Amino acid sequence: MTDAVGCPPPWDRIELIEGDITQFGGDAIVNAANSSLLGGGGVDGAIHRAAGPRLVAECRTLGGCPCGEARITAAYDLPSKYVIHTVGPVYRDGHSGEPESLDACHTRSLELAVENDIRTLAIPAISCGVYGYPLAEAARIALGTTADFLRRCNEIDRVVFVLFDVRTHATFEAVRDELVQTG
Ligand code: AR6
């Protein structure tokens, strides 16, 4: 099992930790939202609870967000400065545009980060809860897309995948190790 510090670029800028994303103290956290952007369960619910009611008030002004796109708001009572809300795909069979949408969620979130001078951001396992994306398949897209983005972008110092349970963390680590080895 490799550790980010011992990894070749760009993997040395991608960290995988088990934890609660609402405690991340970097510049921004990514929210796995739904297209209303008005809150929900899972990580979305946890982020809205920790940010306080001003977050949903700002979200209301945005008019929603389609699947595969992202929107940015302030983070209010959270320790980070911004929340980037993205809407992942609901998993059907893996051949109904889900990989492309999940890829787009990560790319659009990272693009918004660069546009807003965000250098450190945390990302949860988007679509891996209620939306039912198989973990290893989602990890391959999340990590592969992020690594490709960081290869051509030096304006982001650190992307931390904050994974909520042991199984998700272990799956992301195994996929990361595989991707590091295959280049
Ligand atoms: N920190 C990090 N990860 C978390 C946290 C947390 N505090 N809480 C849960 N997770 P989900 P989705 C993990 O269901 O599949 C919402 O209702 C969780 O264990 O939050 O994209 C939205 O409003 C899982 O690994 O998001 C949408 O309607 C991962 O976050 C819908 O769920 C994503 O699980 C989005 O579904």
Side-chain angles (χ1 to χ4, degrees), residues 17-23 30-49 86-90 102 123-133 135 161-165 168 172:
I17 64 166
E18 192 187 325
D20 175 356
I21 203 166
T22 63
Q23 291 174 8
V30 174
N31 182 17
N34 60 61
S35 54
S36 78
L37 296 185
L38 298 180
V43 70
D44 192 11
I47 288 171
H48 275 273
R49 274 193 301 281
T86 190
V87 182
V90 176
L102 192 59
I123 307 180
I126 299 164
S127 286
C128 292
V130 174
Y131 283 0
Y133 218 111
L135 270 185
F161 282 88
V162 181
L163 308 158
F164 204 47
D165 57 75
T168 308
F172 270 66

Side-chain angles (χ1 to χ4, degrees), residues 86-118:
T86 190
V87 182
V90 176
Y91 189 82
R92 289 200 180 84
D93 54 9
H95 301 287
S96 304
E98 306 95 317
E100 293 77 11
S101 296
L102 192 59
D103 181 318
C105 284
H106 290 83
T107 303
R108 281 302 298 138
S109 296
L110 291 160
E111 284 171 355
L112 267 182
V114 171
E115 286 162 23
N116 289 277
D117 296 319
I118 289 163

